[in-house]
Amino acid sequence: MLTYSFDDRGMDFLYEHLYKEIKNDILIGNLKAHEKLPSKRALAAHLNVSVVTVENAYSQLLAEGYIYSKPKSGFYVCDVKAEDADVVGVRNACYTSRSEDHVTEHSHVIREHAESPGQNRFFADFVNNSTLSENFPFSTWTKLMRETMMDDREKLMKRSPSGGIFELRKAIADYLYQFRGMSVSPNQIIVGAGTEYLYGLIIQLLGRDSVYGVENPGYQKIQHIYDAYQVKCCYIDMDESGVNIDSLERSGADVVHISPSHHFPTGTVTPASRRYELLGWAAKQEGRYIIEDEYDSEFRLVGNPIPALQSIDASDKVIYMNTFSKSLSSTIRISYMVLPIPLMVRYNHVLSFYACTVSNFDQYTLTRFIQEGYLEKHINRMRKFYRNSRDRILGCIRSHRLYPQVTIKEENAGLHFLMEIDTSYTDREMVDRAAAAGINISSLSQYCHGKEQEDSHTLVINYSGIEEDIIEEACDRLLESVVCLTT
């Protein structure tokens, strides 16, 4: 029976402490691959905690891919390969701190889903990711901007460092430590006006001779950006755990661009075992890197957020990217990346001549927004709002007469889910019929390279910009237009 002490759990909740203890035992090999874990009731009684505590700990381990379940059998340990862990330096507590000494002397970046040009002609848009105006904290933002212009006048008139003002980078670093478990220096952070701009910096940093791999299916704008910079781009096939390692090895990619916490469009969450395999792939050769794109990681609607891949990278191989486009507004145009220390040193030598592309007014206002706790409150409010929106949409679908023809997938993370349709219509026909009914929708096959003719019969439901008062009619129009009952 597993035995753990809760005396030294600090500020952690009971289930958080238990989750960490079990995960650590899996990583160091105390719990072997495919070993059965105690039942929730048995472990709860043994540790003198509630069944809910054990249930929550198991749920988080399950979500992150450290354990798996068998119906009517129980929970078992996943095969988190020891050799993969060794390659990336996995040990008991090797992720808890990272020295900043190497970067202090060098103190001298949007992932949006495709927008429909004719979006105003649609009754409902399940493709566009625009933020509803009522959800932006206008009064708070106005107050903080006014305070910034009153209190920081001299700073506002000084040129921002290339990577952004230090105060904002420090606020982002603190936020990442508190909410994503990432221990990084402010000097590793580069702020830019949208992730597209930051992709350009990465290409200049890693070189135009590098081969850049993107997920297939995947968010196509990333591939278009690499094409625009005239660098070689290849496609890496996905499986149920994320980027397929064999496909990655065969591709010849030097750099792979992934979204392990919530993949678009499949919704896949990359489990721990695959994450270590990816880090192992990157560590095999000097020029290999992973770009981790976490564009909507704040909006996991069930369980805790999945730890960032960067937080378990001990070999300086992960470039972490995120944006405030999802958490604040799709038009805020402030993104950032966290560079490994060696790459930050290189950036300071060869690219620090660039001016920061975000205005000082926005940078200092956002700094206050984060430091004074408004960002955390706003994300919590929006997480509740999006959960309610998702639940209302799912409720409308499940109560519809055509629901027996529908299968819902990947609805617990991010701001979209998949809806597989039992229909004789092709994907193109479904999209066109929905458009005729006033619904803008995309199919899973639209995001696949080289598989355009393969019908997935699966629609991608992005619900971040759907007004509450049209949800019921929007769902009705969608289902009535795409489901074809066969006799």
Side-chain angles (χ1 to χ4, degrees), residues 208-213 226-227 229-234 251-252:
R208 294 179 181 271
D209 293 334
S210 295
V211 178
Y212 295 81
Y226 288 132
D227 287 346
Y229 277 94
Q230 297 181 331
V231 297
K232 186 174 181 181
C233 181
C234 61
S251 71

Side-chain angles (χ1 to χ4, degrees), residues 191-319:
V191 175
T195 50
E196 293 98 328
Y197 165 75
L198 297 179
Y199 296 152
L201 292 182
I202 290 175
I203 291 169
Q204 295 174 69
L205 198 59
L206 302 183
R208 294 179 181 271
D209 293 334
S210 295
V211 178
Y212 295 81
V214 295
E215 298 162 317
N216 185 32
Y219 181 57
Q220 295 176 339
K221 183 183 282 190
I222 298 170
Q223 175 251 317
H224 294 326
I225 293 169
Y226 288 132
D227 287 346
Y229 277 94
Q230 297 181 331
V231 297
K232 186 174 181 181
C233 181
C234 61
Y235 297 87
I236 317 298
D237 290 336
M238 304 281 292
D239 59 29
E240 68 280 357
S241 296
V243 165
N244 181 278
I245 297 297
D246 291 337
S247 178
L248 178 58
E249 291 282 7
R250 292 193 302 268
S251 71
D254 303 299
V255 183
V256 60
H257 192 128
I258 63 175
S259 48
S261 291
H262 183 238
H263 174 255
F264 181 85
T266 66
T268 299
V269 176
T270 301
S273 56
R274 180 62 55 83
R275 291 175 184 234
Y276 290 129
E277 288 183 276
L278 286 165
L279 291 171
W281 168 85
K284 286 180 182 178
Q285 293 185 18
E286 183 177 345
R288 287 181 174 178
Y289 289 95
I290 298 169
I291 300 174
E292 178 183 17
D293 191 337
E294 280 218 306
Y295 73 104
D296 68 353
S297 60
E298 294 91 350
F299 298 114
R300 180 169 178 79
L301 303 182
V302 174
N304 285 345
I306 304 299
L309 182 64
Q310 193 276 348
S311 68
I312 59 171
D313 171 28
S315 300
D316 286 327
K317 288 293 186 176
V318 176
I319 300 170

Side-chain angles (χ1 to χ4, degrees), residues 17-57:
H17 182 75
L18 179 59
Y19 145 78
K20 291 177 182 178
E21 291 288 341
I22 297 175
K23 181 176 79 169
N24 188 62
D25 273 349
I26 293 172
L27 290 175
I28 65 177
N30 288 343
L31 290 172
K32 307 300 183 184
H34 311 299
E35 179 178 343
K36 185 175 181 179
L37 295 175
S39 71
K40 290 179 284 188
R41 291 188 179 278
L43 185 57
H46 177 68
L47 297 177
N48 195 28
V49 296
S50 71
V51 174
V52 173
T53 295
V54 179
E55 189 173 69
N56 288 340

Side-chain angles (χ1 to χ4, degrees), residues 89-117:
V90 176
R91 292 296 181 266
N92 264 346
C94 67
Y95 314 128
T96 56
S97 64
R98 185 186 293 262
S99 171
E100 298 179 2
D101 295 341
H102 294 85
V103 295
T104 51
E105 61 180 301
H106 301 282
S107 56
H108 327 96
V109 212
I110 110 198
R111 174 164 182 182
E112 301 172 346
H113 299 326
E115 296 184 2
S116 169

Side-chain angles (χ1 to χ4, degrees), residues 207-430:
R208 294 179 181 271
D209 293 334
S210 295
V211 178
Y212 295 81
V214 295
E215 298 162 317
N216 185 32
Y219 181 57
Q220 295 176 339
K221 183 183 282 190
I222 298 170
Q223 175 251 317
H224 294 326
I225 293 169
Y226 288 132
D227 287 346
Y229 277 94
Q230 297 181 331
V231 297
K232 186 174 181 181
C233 181
C234 61
Y235 297 87
I236 317 298
D237 290 336
M238 304 281 292
D239 59 29
E240 68 280 357
S241 296
V243 165
N244 181 278
I245 297 297
D246 291 337
S247 178
L248 178 58
E249 291 282 7
R250 292 193 302 268
S251 71
D254 303 299
V255 183
V256 60
H257 192 128
I258 63 175
S259 48
S261 291
H262 183 238
H263 174 255
F264 181 85
T266 66
T268 299
V269 176
T270 301
S273 56
R274 180 62 55 83
R275 291 175 184 234
Y276 290 129
E277 288 183 276
L278 286 165
L279 291 171
W281 168 85
K284 286 180 182 178
Q285 293 185 18
E286 183 177 345
R288 287 181 174 178
Y289 289 95
I290 298 169
I291 300 174
E292 178 183 17
D293 191 337
E294 280 218 306
Y295 73 104
D296 68 353
S297 60
E298 294 91 350
F299 298 114
R300 180 169 178 79
L301 303 182
V302 174
N304 285 345
I306 304 299
L309 182 64
Q310 193 276 348
S311 68
I312 59 171
D313 171 28
S315 300
D316 286 327
K317 288 293 186 176
V318 176
I319 300 170
Y320 176 90
M321 302 189 73
N322 210 331
T323 178
F324 293 98
S325 295
K326 278 293 186 182
S327 54
L328 272 176
S329 166
S330 53
T331 57
I332 200 71
R333 306 303 295 164
I334 304 177
S335 301
Y336 62 92
M337 63 180 174
V338 179
L339 294 177
I341 292 173
L343 287 184
M344 193 67 218
V345 172
R346 189 188 306 175
Y347 176 90
N348 287 327
H349 282 313
V350 300
L351 295 179
S352 60
F353 65 87
Y354 278 113
C356 182
T357 51
V358 181
S359 77
N360 281 7
F361 290 83
D362 289 335
Q363 289 192 68
Y364 280 106
T365 302
L366 180 57
T367 299
R368 288 174 180 258
F369 194 80
I370 299 172
Q371 289 179 337
E372 297 180 24
Y374 291 111
L375 178 61
E376 180 184 357
K377 293 177 183 177
H378 177 71
I379 289 175
N380 289 337
R381 182 173 70 88
M382 292 308 300
R383 189 181 292 120
K384 181 178 179 180
F385 172 84
Y386 288 133
R387 183 186 295 111
N388 290 339
S389 293
R390 180 207 60 178
D391 290 348
R392 281 206 61 197
I393 292 171
L394 292 177
C396 289
I397 293 172
R398 287 166 177 158
S399 63
H400 198 277
R401 69 180 185 87
L402 296 174
Y403 176 61
Q405 311 301 120
V406 169
T407 302
I408 301 296
K409 299 178 179 179
E410 305 295 344
E411 71 270 30
N412 290 327
L415 300 179
H416 75 278
F417 60 86
L418 301 181
M419 185 167 71
E420 185 177 346
I421 312 292
D422 182 7
T423 181
S424 61
Y425 293 133
T426 66
D427 288 6
R428 183 70 262 172
E429 287 173 332
M430 284 198 295

Side-chain angles (χ1 to χ4, degrees), residues 179-194:
F179 297 100
R180 301 299 292 126
M182 296 169 55
S183 180
V184 302
S185 164
N187 296 310
Q188 293 175 252
I189 296 173
I190 305 292
V191 175

